Amino acid sequence: MSDEIKIDKEINIKGEVCPYTFVKTKLALEAMKAGQVLKVIVDHLPATENVPRTLKSEGNEILEVSRINEGDWQIITRKGNR
Amino acid sequence: MFEFSEEAIKRYSRHILLPEVGGTGQQRINEARVLLVGAGGLGAPAAYYLAAAGVGTLGVVDGDTVELSNLQRQIIHSMADLGKNKGQSARETIEGLNTDVRVVTHQERLTSKNIFPILKDYDVVMDGTDNFPTRYLVNDACVLSGKPLSTGAVFRFHGQVMTIIPGEGPCYRCLFREPPPPGMTASCEEAGVLGVLPGMIGILQATEILKIILNEGSLLKGRLLSYEALEMEFRTIKVRRDPECPVCGDHPTIKELIDYEEFCRVNF
């Protein structure tokens, strides 16, 4: 699925744990325009639930959350209008 | 893109997480210039929290030195600071808390002569003064120069706070047109204060200052917040701009600053 999505920005925050996973995701999103797509690479399992949940509650769309290898996940989000 | 260091991201993470602050708001805080008039009961706790929040420049006007009787409430000073200028003492404490903050000390009393040159380098002003001449001087200078001002006062178990946005709401003179005449206010011996009270009021003022910087929420603009510690009651009282106000009214008569004579030095 991710092959079809145009990624505008990608951040690799492996090594970060909550809440910094969300803090860094948010900082990246804040510098982007509404409608643009951000890909976040994490290796902290709880972040794969926490980050999408908070992103959604702040008005962003979750396009994909998937495991990409042994220990890493990707979260793909489209920035909302808020 | 933001230029926060890894350390700044960690330090301010609880701000950045707030939707109303975020990286944009934190950057505004880091770039803000706040002038604190007095580093006493009100200014000490406000300075501490504003420094923790990362306010870029904190100006501290205070010509007094730290005395033992201050330590009951002025939490930015400690035993080692006795005899030091209060601005200097505040700066040293803040240096131990957050080196992102630049503290500028103005080790003098504000007068009609020096206030405008000092004010021009700041965006927001906090009045934490202990005397009426300075309180009226700061109000008038902020109105005349269009600077947002948080004003606060404490007495015994009672405190009050109001936020003055020139051109958008009432000023201190709309509430109390002239300083009280000498003899009408409590003598220095009568003016006790519960130590935590100025902490409460000073931190309410710091909250208003952060909201002004962030441009978020509802300010105490046209509302006087009154706090009674003994009853543990908060009330807000509506205050209207007085069209007859001598400084912010429709036909202002005060166009130059006034140096009122000092009548009692109550050391809050």
Side-chain angles (χ1 to χ4, degrees), chain B:
Chain B
M1 202 53 209
F2 298 108
E3 288 174 13
F4 292 115
S5 64
E6 284 296 312
E7 193 189 287
I9 289 173
K10 295 237 161 22
R11 181 185 283 273
Y12 305 118
S13 57
R14 266 53 174 187
H15 271 167
I16 295 169
L17 285 169
L18 293 169
E20 294 81 359
V21 182
T24 309
Q26 186 57 48
Q27 196 168 336
R28 289 176 81 151
I29 296 171
N30 292 143
E31 288 166 1
R33 304 169 304 168
V34 177
L35 182 68
L36 304 169
V37 182
L42 299 166
Y48 216 47
Y49 271 104
L50 291 173
V55 166
T57 304
L58 273 180
V60 182
V61 190
D62 209 315
D64 288 349
T65 52
V66 180
E67 295 174 23
L68 196 52
S69 67
N70 301 150
L71 301 186
Q72 168 248 23
R73 62 201 176 285
Q74 301 179 14
I75 58 166
I76 209 159
H77 313 302
S78 63
M79 290 293 286
D81 300 317
L82 294 174
K84 273 185 204 161
N85 170 267
K86 286 188 181 176
Q88 173 65 25
S89 164
R91 179 164 65 196
E92 289 172 15
T93 307
I94 289 169
E95 279 167 359
L97 172 68
N98 188 353
T99 49
D100 294 348
V101 182
R102 187 173 69 102
V103 179
V104 180
T105 63
H106 304 276
Q107 303 186 13
E108 57 198 315
R109 193 89 195 266
L110 286 179
T111 66
S112 62
K113 304 276 181 300
N114 66 11
I115 191 166
F116 282 131
I118 292 175
L119 275 188
K120 74 169 174 28
D121 294 328
Y122 297 92
D123 311 308
V124 195
V125 181
M126 169 175 159
D127 168 23
T129 192
D130 58 358
N131 65 86
F132 286 106
T134 309
R135 187 175 297 279
Y136 280 82
L137 180 71
V138 170
N139 176 74
D140 295 354
C142 285
V143 170
L144 293 174
S145 60
K147 303 265 180 189
L149 165 68
S150 167
T151 185
V154 289
F155 180 70
R156 295 184 176 174
F157 294 92
H158 172 79
Q160 56 190 39
V161 196
M162 192 168 87
T163 302
I164 294 158
I165 310 291
E168 294 182 23
C171 77
Y172 194 72
R173 279 189 193 272
C174 297
L175 195 59
F176 307 111
R177 190 172 289 190
E178 297 285 337
M184 286 292 287
T185 52
S187 73
C188 302
E189 291 75 29
E190 289 166 341
V193 65
L194 189 72
V196 294
L197 180 76
M200 186 81 183
I201 300 298
I203 288 166
L204 288 171
Q205 290 184 268
T207 310
E208 288 287 276
I209 286 168
L210 289 173
K211 284 160 58 189
I212 292 171
I213 294 167
L214 295 168
N215 196 22
E216 285 289 342
S218 306
L219 296 168
L220 287 170
K221 183 173 75 180
R223 292 188 295 149
L224 178 76
L225 176 66
S226 163
Y227 170 58
E228 293 288 351
L230 277 183
E231 317 303 328
M232 197 48 87
E233 277 187 347
F234 287 90
R235 286 194 304 154
T236 50
I237 300 147
K238 274 211 172 106
V239 181
R240 289 202 172 78
R241 189 184 72 99
D242 180 359
E244 306 286 312
C245 173
V247 68
C248 79
D250 296 339
H251 307 286
T253 52
I254 297 174
K255 288 165 185 167
E256 281 185 14
L257 298 172
I258 304 164
D259 290 308
Y260 288 103
E261 262 183 59
E262 197 166 341
F263 33 89
C264 174
R265 197 74 203 277
V266 181
N267 233 338
F268 287 136

